[in-house]
């Protein structure tokens, strides 16, 4: 075992299972394409199958013509029925068709034999029995015509052998090609993995393979370069194109303290960052692992299909035998020939592949499509559940809003200037640890105000702060705080009330005993929240906002973004309970949160969406993870889930309908009524196309237009 | 009914009985996974037109490592899925791919190719 290269399997938790061997380097489960991958195998398989098809086709064309020489004027005279020339021609065709069976059709016989050894039967079994029976019948009829009661029964069916083999092989080649396209998304993700990184070691900048980057390394990124691993910027400013990971098309501005994701592309500036995640821990590796697992998972409906396909192939064999017996006993003469053809046609037309591929192909394409838009669907169960939801609960902070309080308005009192009010408030708040203080200080810094040093500072918890800035006495806080100092807020009261109605928190500023202005602070609504919520409502969902804020603030935000229902003053621990209450109303509920403190609610919901994150913890807690912070991702995820499940049902319907119509026709149920009996050649054509149709329908999902859903 | 029709009918019924028995009714007892030095229950499984062995017996509560080795290029078998344990793996031709899991209570769990055509089962037995 130790001498063999082990390719580790993965589990949903993201842990790499399985032993590592000497071949493994620093980060054994990082995103790398192995020397022999299913993609390589598929290429080789496709080339082999195409060679087999061409050989089958080359033999097939003359075989088709020469099987019925009496239909062609020139040949009719040379190859007369019962003549030696025709007999020798058919002997030559027998040899040629045997060559096709051995070369082009070998996988059917070896596959059937291998399956038989496992007491199972599959498509190979059906085709091997079908083509083998046609060849054997023809050969026996040719060599021992005296065994047959009439001359009519001694016609040969070598054309069936050759053409069926060739067509099914062609179908398999097309299937291999199309299967490759369904898994393009994950191969593209794997292809994003950077190869080299520039790191600083002992003060020297070195280019090293990305596998050699360790946590804590300082990594240098030049303009236009791919960011090698995940980390936090320590120095520099730039715009980064994260579209390949988050699905967001606009480059994101990054500065010191911001996180960067490996495999994204640096656009304009140069910067340095400290590596925080390498190898199998990077966001890209997590995504690849998760997408792979989701694509291999099963949609609940697949379990029913599995039961059916477990019985399918032997059931077809039983039907073929039953068809043979019925045609032999009750069919027209020559009964043996008819019975054989009916049995062969039934075996060939049945397509267990279409049934087996219906769900996995759609799931693979749908999950891949989602991943390429920054949406990680955890499993087939999540996908099916997402299709059923009728109510969506959005956590306010961090989901609808940015989750970061900021100054939105500054209203000066008569005789004061906006900038002066903000600058004084910021200077006074400089040493405060209150979250609202940070918003004021940051706002002043963004506007480039000089930092003033307070000579004294005092915080009155729950009310505000007092500070001395040179000669000026500054108070910042609630109205009651100013009034306690006998400072009247005057006309500012009206402004404060209006701002509160808009969902903002007003903070009063007083200078030297006079009210100077009101600074309004709010957690701003994300620019695209309103549009996304409208799109969710267009999808027929009831949109509920849940928040710990008071009703006044909550209602103000709700009015801005247009939700249907507001659940305000809900403590974080009670969010799961509120979700449960909605479920008790008979609703199928999705919960959208940032995945940090919403875990119980995300778990309680029928579908949990974690938004704006690619961390393992958030992925674990949710059914669907949106790497970007935009609510439009939720719209896209639901639309993709619905489209994928629609595709699954279309495929399943197609596969079931094909088999349940094709089989009876092949068995000849229409013969007594309209004299229709299917040719085995047509059956082969239909069989090949049924599985290709299923895959092509799944591939159609890739053209799904997300922009139209969100518009 | 002529004698040949009688023979074909009886032969057909016998063939139907044989197919049902062969594919559905007869079950192999399976192979018991062996315990290796690191405490895992381990079993090598050959992937070629099916899984050999296709029934693996393991003891509940002790970690299991299945080593899949695919010796064919047919696309059907390129992935193995252990849906009940939430595990899956791509099986590049000629490479050994380990899948590990902890079997819980006794019961039978299927492992299949992605399309559910190739099938095997893990029989978890009480310790």
């Amino acid at each position: 075992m130790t001498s063999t290269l082990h390719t580790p399997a993965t589990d949903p938790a993201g842990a790499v299972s399985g032993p590592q061997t000497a071949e493994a380097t620093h980060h054994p489960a990082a995103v790398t394409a192995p020397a022999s991958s299913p993609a390589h195998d598929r290429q080789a398989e496709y080339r082999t199958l195409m060679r087999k098809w061409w050989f089958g086709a080359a033999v097939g064309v003359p075989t088709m013509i020469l099987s019925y020489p009496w239909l062609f004027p020139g040949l009719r005279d040379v190859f007369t029925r019962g003549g030696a020339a025709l007999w020798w021609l058919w002997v030559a065709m027998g040899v040629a068709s045997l060559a096709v069976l051995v070369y082009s059709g070998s996988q059917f016989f070896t596959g059937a034999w291998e399956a038989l050894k496992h007491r199972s039967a599959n498509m190979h079994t059906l085709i091997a029995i079908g083509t083998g029976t046609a060849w054997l019948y023809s050969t026996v009829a040719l060599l021992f015509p005296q065994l047959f009661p009439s001359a009519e029964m001694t016609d040969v069916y070598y054309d069936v052998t050759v053409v069926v083999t060739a067509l099914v092989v062609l179908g398999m080649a097309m299937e291999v090609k199309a299967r490759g396209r369904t898994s393009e998304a994950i191969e593209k993700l794997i292809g994003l993995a950077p190869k080299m990184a520039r790191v600083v070691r002992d003060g020297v900048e070195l280019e090293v393979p990305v596998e050699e980057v360790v946590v804590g390394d300082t990594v240098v990124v030049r303009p236009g370069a791919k960011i090698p691993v995940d980390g936090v910027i320590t120095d520099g400013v730039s715009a980064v194109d994260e579209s390949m990971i988050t699905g967001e098309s606009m480059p994101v501005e990054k500065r010191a303290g911001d996180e960067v994701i490996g495999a994204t592309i640096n656009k304009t500036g140069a910067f340095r960052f400290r590596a925080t995640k390498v190898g199998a821990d990077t966001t890209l590796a997590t995504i690849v692992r998760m997408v792979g697992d989701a694509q291999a998972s099963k949609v609940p409906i697949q379990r029913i299909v599995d039961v059916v396909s477990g019985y399918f192939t032997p059931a077809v064999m039983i039907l073929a035998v039953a068809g043979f017996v019925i045609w032999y006993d009750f069919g027209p003469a020559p009964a043996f020939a008819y019975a054989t053809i009916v049995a062969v046609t039934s075996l060939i037309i049945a397509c267990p592949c279409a049934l087996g591929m219906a769900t996995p192909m759609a799931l693979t394409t749908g999950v891949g499509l989602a991943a390429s838009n920054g949406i990680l669907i955890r499993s087939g169960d999540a996908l099916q559940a997402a299709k059923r939801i009728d109510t969506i609960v959005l956590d306010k902070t961090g989901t609808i809003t940015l989750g970061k309080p900021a100054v939105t308005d500054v209203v000066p009192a008569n005789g004061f200037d906006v900038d002066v009010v903000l600058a004084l408030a910021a200077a006074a708040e400089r040493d405060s640890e209150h979250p609202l203080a940070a918003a004021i200080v940051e706002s002043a810094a963004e506007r480039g105000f000089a930092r003033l040093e307070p000579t004294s500072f005092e915080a009155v918890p729950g009310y505000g702060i007092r500070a001395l800035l040179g000669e000026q006495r500054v108070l910042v806080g609630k109205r009651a705080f100013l009034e306690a100092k006998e400072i009247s807020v005057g006309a500012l009261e009206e402004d404060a009330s209006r701002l509160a109605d808009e969902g903002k928190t007003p903070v009063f500023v007083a200078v030297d005993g006079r009210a100077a202005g009101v600074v309004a602070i709010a957690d701003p609504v994300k620019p695209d929240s309103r549009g996304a919520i409208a799109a969710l409502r267009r999808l027929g969902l009831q949109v509920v906002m849940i928040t710990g804020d008071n009703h006044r603030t909550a209602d103000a935000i709700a009015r801005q973004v247009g939700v249907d229902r507001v659940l305000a003053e809900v403590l974080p621990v009670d969010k799961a309970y509120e979700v449960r209450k909605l479920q008790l109303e008979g609703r199928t509920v999705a919960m959208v949160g940032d995945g940090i403190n919403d875990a119980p609610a995300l778990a309680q919901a029928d579908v949990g969406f974690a938004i704006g994150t690619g961390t393992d913890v958030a992925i674990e807690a949710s059914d669907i993870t949106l790497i970007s912070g935009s609510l439009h991702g939720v719209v896209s995820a639901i639309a993709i889930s619905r489209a994928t499940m629609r595709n699954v049902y279309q495929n399943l319907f197609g596969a079931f309908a094909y088999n349940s119509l094709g089989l009876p026709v092949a068995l000849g149920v229409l013969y007594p009524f309209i004299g229709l009996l299917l040719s085995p050649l047509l059956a082969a054509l239909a069989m090949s196309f049924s599985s290709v149709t299923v895959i092509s329908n799944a591939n159609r999902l890739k053209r799904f237009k997300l922009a139209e859903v969100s518009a | 009914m002529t004698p040949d029709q009688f023979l074909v009918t009886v032969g057909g019924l016998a063939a139907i009985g044989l197919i049902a028995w062969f594919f559905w009714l007869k079950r192999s007892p399976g192979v018991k996974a062996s315990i290796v030095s690191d405490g895992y229950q381990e079993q090598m499984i050959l992937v070629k037109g099916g899984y050999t062995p296709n029934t693996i017996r393991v003891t509940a509560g002790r970690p299991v490592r299945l080593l899949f080795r695919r010796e064919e290029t047919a696309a059907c078998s390129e992935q193995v899925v252990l849906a009940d344990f939430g595990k899956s793996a791509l099986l590049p031709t000629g490479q050994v791919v380990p899948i590990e899991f902890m079997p819980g209570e006794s019961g039978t769990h299927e492992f299949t190719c992605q399309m559910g055509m190739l099938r095997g089962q893990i029989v978890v037995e009480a310790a």
Side-chain angles (χ1 to χ4, degrees):
Chain A
M1 187 184 93
T2 47
S3 61
T4 317
L5 175 66
H6 283 200
T7 306
T10 61
D11 64 28
V16 177
S17 40
Q20 308 304 337
T21 58
E23 286 88 341
T25 52
H26 300 68
H27 312 302
V31 187
T32 50
S36 167
S37 67
H40 283 97
D41 291 350
R42 270 199 297 270
Q43 284 277 332
E45 175 83 349
Y46 176 74
R47 282 195 297 272
T48 308
L49 287 170
M50 283 311 284
R51 275 199 300 274
K52 290 181 172 190
W53 146 251
W54 284 118
F55 180 66
V59 177
V61 173
T63 308
M64 283 270 284
I65 297 167
L66 297 173
S67 291
Y68 314 94
W70 48 86
L71 299 177
F72 302 91
L75 298 173
R76 191 182 298 152
D77 307 326
V78 182
F79 302 107
T80 51
R81 259 185 185 278
L86 184 62
W87 191 85
W88 281 109
L89 174 69
W90 281 353
V91 168
M93 278 167 49
V95 174
S97 57
L98 183 63
V100 172
L101 279 188
V102 170
Y103 176 65
S104 303
S106 57
Q107 68 278 343
F108 302 132
F109 292 90
T110 52
W113 176 243
E114 290 294 339
L116 212 61
K117 286 201 290 191
H118 297 95
R119 288 185 176 277
S120 69
N122 51 35
M123 182 198 84
H124 293 155
T125 318
L126 300 179
I127 302 298
I129 298 176
T131 53
T133 306
W135 190 86
L136 266 181
Y137 176 97
S138 308
T139 306
V140 171
L142 194 64
L143 298 178
F144 309 103
Q146 65 279 12
L147 294 175
F148 293 81
S150 73
E152 285 173 304
M153 289 172 72
T154 58
D155 280 350
V156 295
Y157 297 98
Y158 290 127
D159 57 327
V160 171
T161 309
V162 177
V163 177
V164 168
T165 303
L167 284 177
V168 178
V169 165
L170 177 65
M172 285 170 70
M174 290 163 72
E175 186 188 313
V176 167
K177 196 87 176 161
R179 279 172 75 107
R181 281 200 288 273
T182 60
S183 51
E184 259 172 13
I186 195 162
E187 278 156 20
K188 266 188 197 161
L189 280 171
I190 292 169
L192 289 175
K195 308 257 182 303
M196 302 298 284
R198 295 193 76 79
V199 295
V200 179
R201 299 257 168 89
D202 301 325
V204 182
E205 206 175 298
L206 298 171
E207 181 145 311
V208 298
V210 75
E211 294 81 12
E212 291 179 13
V213 180
V214 295
V215 171
D217 263 343
T218 296
V219 183
V220 180
V221 185
R222 293 174 175 171
K226 199 177 255 188
I227 296 169
V229 295
D230 295 2
V232 178
I233 296 184
T234 51
D235 184 22
V237 179
S238 185
V240 177
D241 177 4
E242 295 187 332
S243 59
M244 58 295 287
I245 299 288
T246 64
E248 280 186 5
S249 53
M250 292 297 290
V252 186
E253 188 166 307
K254 301 272 180 179
R255 55 184 69 243
D258 287 343
E259 288 184 357
V260 286
I261 306 171
T264 58
I265 293 174
N266 180 29
K267 302 292 275 187
T268 49
F271 63 86
R272 290 176 176 225
F273 74 93
R274 183 170 44 80
T276 54
K277 284 179 184 174
V278 297
D281 299 329
T282 60
T283 303
L284 178 67
T286 307
I287 293 170
V288 168
R289 201 160 46 225
M290 196 176 159
V291 171
D293 281 334
Q295 288 183 331
S297 70
K298 298 209 170 188
V299 180
I301 194 170
Q302 175 73 10
R303 296 181 212 284
I304 303 165
V305 181
D306 279 351
V307 174
V308 175
S309 49
Y311 290 97
F312 185 84
T313 315
V316 170
M317 291 161 71
I318 287 172
L319 282 174
V321 173
F324 181 90
V325 171
I326 291 167
W327 275 83
Y328 190 86
D329 289 351
F330 306 106
F336 190 65
Y338 271 116
T340 305
I341 287 302
V342 163
V344 167
T345 311
S346 309
L347 290 170
I348 289 167
I349 203 165
C351 188
C353 285
L355 210 55
M357 285 185 300
T359 314
M361 290 297 116
L363 181 68
T364 303
T365 316
V367 169
L369 172 72
S372 55
N373 286 282
I375 300 159
L376 305 181
I377 297 174
R378 197 168 149 80
S379 66
D381 294 276
L383 195 90
Q384 187 160 334
K387 190 224 162 226
R388 289 186 294 115
I389 57 173
D390 54 28
T391 303
I392 188 154
V393 180
L394 307 175
D395 182 42
K396 193 210 83 176
T397 308
T399 302
I400 294 177
T401 64
L402 289 170
K404 195 178 172 200
V407 171
T408 55
D409 305 75
V410 180
V411 183
N414 275 340
F416 286 92
D417 180 70
V418 169
D419 289 352
V420 170
V421 173
L422 186 61
L424 289 174
E429 293 274 20
R430 220 187 70 153
D431 296 329
S432 170
E433 288 170 1
H434 197 280
L436 297 183
I440 294 174
V441 173
E442 195 167 312
S443 177
E446 276 173 13
R447 296 181 195 204
F449 296 160
R451 287 185 166 194
L452 300 173
E453 194 83 15
T455 43
S456 75
F457 168 86
E458 185 193 354
V460 183
Y463 286 94
I465 54 117
R466 243 190 318 255
L468 199 59
L469 295 168
E471 297 296 304
Q472 291 178 302
R473 285 173 291 112
V474 180
L475 302 181
V476 183
K478 292 180 173 175
R479 187 184 63 175
F481 182 54
L482 269 65
E483 286 175 347
K485 303 289 171 198
E486 295 177 344
I487 302 170
S488 165
V489 297
L492 290 176
E493 174 60 30
E494 208 174 296
D495 293 307
S497 183
R498 173 181 55 81
L499 292 167
D501 281 341
E502 291 171 8
K504 298 165 184 170
T505 306
V507 178
F508 291 91
V509 183
V511 180
D512 294 333
R514 275 180 63 204
V518 180
V519 177
I521 295 161
D523 183 5
V525 170
K526 290 179 187 172
D528 54 1
S529 288
R530 187 179 170 81
I533 288 168
L536 286 170
R537 295 182 68 195
R538 276 199 301 279
L539 288 173
L541 301 173
Q542 186 184 56
V543 183
V544 180
M545 184 181 88
I546 194 164
T547 175
D549 290 353
N550 61 45
H551 283 280
R552 193 179 188 186
T553 310
D555 287 342
I557 301 285
R559 275 195 304 276
Q560 276 184 51
V561 296
V563 297
D564 295 296
R565 194 164 157 183
V566 179
L567 301 171
E569 295 179 17
V570 179
L571 296 172
V573 291
D574 289 336
K575 283 181 184 170
Y577 174 65
E578 292 294 334
V579 170
R580 177 82 190 121
K581 279 207 301 194
L582 287 166
Q583 287 169 324
L584 289 173
E585 289 176 20
R587 299 179 168 281
T588 308
V589 182
M591 168 79 198
V592 187
D594 55 18
I596 297 160
N597 54 17
D598 303 318
L602 290 175
Q604 174 63 45
D606 297 282
V607 183
F609 287 86
I611 189 167
T613 176
T615 63
D616 288 350
V617 181
I619 290 173
E620 267 305 287
S622 62
D623 299 304
I624 298 179
T625 305
L626 309 169
I627 300 171
S628 94
S630 168
L631 261 183
H632 276 293
V634 179
V635 183
S636 304
I638 293 170
I640 290 174
S641 302
R642 287 182 177 182
T644 306
M645 287 310 297
R646 201 162 48 236
N647 202 279
V648 165
Y649 292 130
Q650 285 166 353
N651 277 350
L652 282 177
F653 176 80
F656 272 108
Y658 165 79
N659 281 302
S660 44
L661 290 176
L663 260 172
V665 173
L667 284 164
V669 294
L670 295 178
Y671 188 81
F673 309 105
I674 54 172
L676 177 73
L677 196 59
L678 208 61
S679 149
L681 306 185
L682 273 180
L685 204 62
M687 188 271 185
S688 298
F689 274 95
S690 66
S691 47
V692 173
T693 308
V694 162
I695 303 176
S696 303
N697 189 46
N699 275 326
R700 220 168 41 85
L701 263 181
K702 288 200 291 192
R703 295 199 298 273
F704 184 71
K705 294 281 184 294
L706 282 175
E708 287 169 19
V709 179
S710 293
Chain B
M1 186 175 269
T2 59
D4 60 313
Q5 285 176 334
F6 177 76
L7 280 176
V8 164
T9 309
V10 171
L13 289 174
I16 289 171
L18 184 69
I19 292 168
W21 169 79
F22 185 82
F23 291 111
W24 294 332
L25 301 179
K26 194 169 184 305
R27 284 279 160 258
S28 71
V31 174
K32 178 90 179 162
S34 53
I35 295 172
V36 292
S37 57
D38 57 1
Y40 274 74
Q41 303 178 79
E42 195 172 271
Q43 179 62 49
M44 178 73 91
I45 298 170
L46 173 70
V47 184
K48 192 178 177 189
Y51 301 110
T52 309
N54 61 358
T55 303
I56 295 110
R57 289 185 291 127
V58 299
T59 307
R62 186 187 273 268
V64 174
R65 183 184 299 129
L66 300 181
L67 301 165
F68 288 87
R69 184 181 171 88
R70 177 167 165 245
E71 290 191 353
E72 62 183 357
T73 53
C76 283
S77 58
E78 70 182 20
Q79 192 163 31
V80 65
V81 181
L82 284 77
D84 291 352
F85 298 103
K87 303 271 182 174
S88 71
L90 290 173
L91 307 177
T93 303
Q95 295 184 22
V96 172
V97 179
I99 294 187
E100 297 177 359
F101 58 92
M102 177 66 89
E105 292 172 8
S106 49
T108 301
H109 308 275
E110 275 210 326
F111 58 96
T112 65
C113 66
Q114 198 189 17
M115 283 160 50
M117 291 288 148
L118 310 183
R119 286 158 188 258
Q121 56 181 7
I122 298 154
V123 180
V124 181
E125 298 168 332

